[in-house]
Amino acid sequence: MPPVVSSADAPAVHAQQPGVRYGPALTLLASLFFMWGFITVINNTLLPHLRSVFELSYTQTTLIESVWFIAYFVASIPSAKLIERIGYQKSLVTGLLIMAAGACGMMLAASIPSYGVTLVMLFVIASGITLLQVAANPYVAVVGKPETASSRLNLVQALNSAGTMLAPLFGAYLILGRSKGGTATAGTVLTEAERMADAHSVILPYGLVAVVLVILAVIIAKFPLPAMGSAGSRVAKEERKHLSLWNHRNLVFGVPAIFIYLIAEIGVANLFVNFTSQPGIGNNEVMWWIVNAFNSIIGVIGINPFALPSLDVFTPQDAGNHLAFLWGGMMVGRFVGSAIMHRFDAGNVLAFFSIGAFAVMMITVFAHGPVAMWSLILVGLFHSIMFPTIFTLGIKGLGPLTEEGSGLLVMAIAGGALVIVQGWIADNYGLQTSFLLTAACELYVLFYALWGSKVTNAVPDPVPAAAE
């Protein structure tokens, strides 16, 4: 039974209610996209940090991220039921407070320190994000014209990418930059005292995150979000009795497309720091010239805070700073993709981006030095439009089944949990070889774009409810 993401104030399907301005609400929701992107990507700098603190294998390290994405699968149905019970706006506030509680729990885990408590608290934070995702993604996708849904969700997701771009800089400075493991060269063995001190470096950044989340929860609670009528939901429930999600090819193949795409995105992000800080990848003479040339340009322009660290040695902190380029590419790609989709079919654009992603991942696997590093960074540009475009193509033509379809697509985000498979490949066959899994994922996205996303058995949208 698919999760039902409906409630008395759930969004009507592709409903633009007369006299209601959605701009301010969508702007506020964009801040939520920013925050959950920011918090999710802090993990990418947290993982190499925890690997040194707890002396973890790649498999144990990626298990941390697997626990994070298991929360999407476990919490999706309860989130849908909570939205049905307490309403859309209160659910957003609840999600933010759950995330804040998890951030406070991370401070406790760092104080002990405890690998087990860390896993539990990351699960709590991810559960809060799941609640936000179940509500916010369908809202943005269905409020407005159906033909611009992909463009609209890509635009809002660009703010998510802004959060993911800034998070590595935040994490590299406040976590890796303030820890012995984050500033040491590869192979350095930490003493017990150094590992304890490194664990404590997590307390400040998660304390700041908790404060911001509480403030945002207060703002959401007091903001006059547009009320969504319940009449349309009642009509849709009657219509759903005679319809089946399994008749819609774009959804049936869209759910595994989201699942598989998340394996690719999360695998790249999680292993980026470990990969680029290896000798012969980021730490080489050519890379030294590139970074110093970049810093010279930054100095001439006068924006020195964005300068990259000197590469006498290429530490995990340096690699964490370069992770910002990966997420920056995703942000740029979503802005560009949003504009392109006003003129070109979303499925064709998705096919082009998936071919690009496959090409750069094959370069990453077989190249060396800065070429391998920058090709891995470039995959962020090609990954940029994949999630929002697959999501909107997946719910296209579902009519009154849109809410259930959206719930299934959100559950599919749990695919990120299978990043542990890439960790196992890295442990047994080599870190660089493990990116062949990513390349294989891009091929499925290409299949979905060219054939799986084609709409079958489209049904009319339900009549939108009147504004309350």
Side-chain angles (χ1 to χ4, degrees):
M1 181 68 180
V4 179
V5 192
S6 61
S7 67
D9 59 353
V13 180
H14 296 303
Q16 188 70 40
Q17 298 175 8
V20 178
R21 295 179 63 248
Y22 291 99
L26 292 176
T27 301
L28 183 59
L29 288 174
S31 70
L32 300 184
F33 280 76
F34 177 92
M35 279 306 300
W36 81 57
F38 184 91
I39 293 171
T40 298
V41 174
I42 286 180
N43 286 358
N44 302 143
T45 50
L46 181 66
L47 293 188
H49 170 78
L50 293 178
R51 187 167 188 262
S52 64
V53 169
F54 296 113
E55 300 179 317
L56 307 176
S57 68
Y58 283 125
T59 303
Q60 290 172 312
T61 303
T62 49
L63 176 61
I64 296 172
E65 194 71 20
S66 293
V67 167
W68 178 273
F69 283 95
I70 287 170
Y72 280 93
F73 183 81
V74 173
S76 182
I77 293 177
S79 295
K81 293 186 180 298
L82 182 64
I83 293 171
E84 186 175 5
R85 180 177 295 273
I86 68 174
Y88 175 73
Q89 187 162 2
K90 290 180 180 178
S91 293
L92 292 177
V93 174
T94 302
L96 289 166
L97 293 178
I98 290 172
M99 292 164 63
C104 291
M106 285 295 292
M107 297 168 65
L108 172 64
S111 300
I112 300 175
S114 169
Y115 175 66
V117 174
T118 298
L119 291 178
V120 171
M121 293 308 160
L122 288 174
F123 182 89
V124 171
I125 296 174
S127 296
I129 291 178
T130 301
L131 179 54
L132 298 184
Q133 291 253 33
V134 170
N137 275 304
Y139 183 97
V140 174
V142 304
V143 176
K145 297 179 179 179
E147 58 270 20
T148 60
S150 291
S151 174
R152 188 166 53 254
L153 191 54
N154 268 287
L155 184 60
V156 177
Q157 285 275 358
L159 272 296
N160 178 273
S161 295
T164 61
M165 182 182 69
L166 294 177
L169 301 177
F170 177 87
Y173 179 73
L174 287 181
I175 297 177
L176 297 178
R178 296 170 60 245
S179 65
K180 178 67 175 179
T183 55
T185 55
T188 301
V189 178
L190 304 184
T191 66
E192 181 67 21
E194 288 171 337
R195 290 195 298 110
M196 288 293 293
D198 280 8
H200 293 165
S201 68
V202 172
I203 296 175
L204 174 61
Y206 275 96
L208 294 175
V209 167
V211 170
V212 172
L213 289 171
V214 171
I215 292 173
L216 192 54
V218 172
I219 294 173
I220 294 285
K222 295 183 177 296
F223 191 87
L225 288 176
M228 300 295 177
S230 58
S233 295
R234 288 193 294 269
V235 171
K237 287 179 182 178
E238 290 301 316
E239 294 183 19
R240 281 196 291 263
K241 294 178 180 179
H242 309 289
L243 300 172
S244 172
L245 289 171
W246 303 108
N247 292 329
H248 298 273
R249 179 172 70 186
N250 53 308
L251 178 69
V252 171
F253 288 100
V255 171
I258 291 286
F259 189 93
I260 291 169
Y261 163 68
L262 260 294
I263 298 174
E265 178 187 310
I266 302 307
V268 169
N270 281 5
L271 296 174
F272 180 91
V273 172
N274 293 112
F275 177 69
T276 56
S277 58
Q278 289 185 126
I281 301 298
N283 190 6
N284 57 65
E285 185 176 352
V286 175
M287 194 66 238
W288 185 90
W289 283 106
I290 292 175
V291 169
N292 281 281
F294 177 82
N295 286 344
S296 297
I297 296 172
I298 290 298
V300 171
I301 298 175
I303 50 176
N304 293 316
F306 291 94
L308 296 172
S310 173
L311 289 188
D312 296 326
V313 290
F314 198 85
T315 66
Q317 181 186 5
D318 301 325
N321 285 324
H322 281 74
L323 184 59
F325 290 117
L326 174 76
W327 296 113
M330 290 194 75
M331 180 182 68
V332 171
R334 283 173 174 170
F335 278 121
V336 172
S338 177
I340 291 174
M341 287 180 199
H342 279 288
R343 300 187 59 184
F344 298 96
D345 177 74
N348 292 337
V349 176
L350 180 62
F352 174 82
F353 275 63
S354 61
I355 293 170
F358 176 79
V360 296
M361 288 314 304
M362 295 303 290
I363 293 172
T364 298
V365 171
F366 294 106
H368 298 283
V371 173
M373 187 186 79
W374 286 103
S375 64
L376 188 62
I377 289 174
L378 191 59
V379 80
L381 177 65
F382 293 110
H383 276 172
S384 60
I385 69 159
M386 289 188 180
F387 177 83
T389 305
I390 294 169
F391 191 96
T392 51
L393 289 174
I395 63 174
K396 188 175 182 180
L398 297 188
L401 297 176
T402 298
E403 293 171 343
E404 288 94 330
S406 298
L408 282 177
L409 290 167
V410 170
M411 284 187 71
I413 295 174
L418 287 189
V419 68
I420 193 171
V421 175
Q422 187 166 356
W424 181 86
I425 296 173
D427 281 330
N428 290 276
Y429 298 99
L431 185 54
Q432 194 161 10
T433 302
S434 73
F435 288 112
L436 284 173
L437 176 64
T438 310
C441 293
E442 317 296 0
L443 292 179
Y444 183 86
V445 175
L446 176 60
F447 157 77
Y448 181 72
L450 295 177
W451 187 82
S453 64
K454 303 307 179 185
V455 176
T456 56
N457 299 304
V459 293
D461 295 334
V463 178
E468 293 178 345

